[in-house]
């Protein structure tokens, strides 16, 4: 077993330990278990604390409630704006109208909205806008054909600069898994909803 924090293997890539440590990661949280998005938002809070610029993009139209992580991260963004503590935060949510779109409030087709959201993420990656991108539930638009898998994988693999990306959702495409640096599969052992218990305030939202 390797010492704490030490890699099991050291690649022959010509990089120093420091250079390798700061290489940006493409991360995927997938599987049928609970906690994929929760873990990604936890990463976002960690990134905020390091002063990183965080961009969150929710790709599936969520239920009517506003999830707690959105409130917390937006308040952290406000704290940064007011005091300089942490880093800036943007949160964009499909279904409520992308905040950069002039079509807010329209009944645009979800596939078109997802494609629009991905196009905006591509623009931001090209200009190196954020340090961490959370593409929440993005495996579903990929699975449903709303965005082109090859385009997504190529764009993420070839993204410039030091930009970290984490994607969440079940059934991550094999090409995405192959391209990623870190893949975690959440395995469900038990879930209270299986016995008919509905989602709870403070746990599911």
């Amino acid at each position: 077993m390797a010492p704490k924090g030490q890699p099991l293997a050291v690649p022959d890539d010509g990089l120093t330990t420091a250079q390798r440590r700061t290489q940006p990661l493409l991360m995927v949280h997938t599987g049928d278990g609970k906690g994929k998005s929760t873990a990604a938002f936890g990463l976002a809070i960690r990134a905020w604390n390091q002063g990183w610029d965080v961009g969150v993009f929710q790709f599936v139209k969520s239920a009517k409630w506003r999830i707690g992580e959105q409130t917390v991260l937006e308040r952290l963004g406000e704290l940064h704006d007011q005091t300089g503590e942490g880093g800036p935060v943007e949160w964009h949510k499909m279904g409520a109208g992308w905040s950069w779109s002039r079509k807010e409030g329209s009944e645009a087709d979800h596939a078109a909205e997802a494609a629009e959201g991905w196009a905006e993420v591509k623009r931001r990656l090209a200009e190196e806008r954020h340090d961490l991108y959370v593409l929440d539930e993005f495996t579903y638009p990929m699975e449903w054909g709303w965005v082109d898998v090859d385009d997504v994988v190529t764009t993420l693999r070839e993204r410039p600069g030091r930009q970290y990306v984490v994607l969440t959702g079940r059934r991550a495409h094999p090409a995405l898994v192959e391209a990623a640096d870190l893949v975690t599969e959440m395995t469900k052992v038990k879930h209270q909803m299986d016995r008919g218990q509905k989602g709870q305030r403070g746990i599911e939202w």
Side-chain angles (χ1 to χ4, degrees), residues 49-112:
N49 188 58
Q50 293 294 334
W52 291 14
D53 186 307
V54 177
V56 179
F57 303 84
Q58 282 190 290
F59 274 88
V60 172
K61 186 174 183 179
S62 61
K64 292 180 181 178
W65 60 70
R66 173 190 179 91
I67 67 169
E69 292 96 336
Q70 180 177 357
T71 298
V72 170
L73 281 164
E74 287 183 339
R75 289 297 297 271
L76 289 176
E78 291 170 6
L79 181 62
H80 170 75
D81 293 341
Q82 294 163 3
T83 70
E85 185 177 357
V89 178
E90 288 187 33
W91 189 295
H92 302 286
K93 183 176 178 180
M94 197 181 88
W98 297 108
S99 60
W100 59 80
S101 171
R102 297 175 183 174
K103 300 187 299 182
E104 188 163 352
S106 71
E107 296 182 6
D109 177 76
H110 286 181

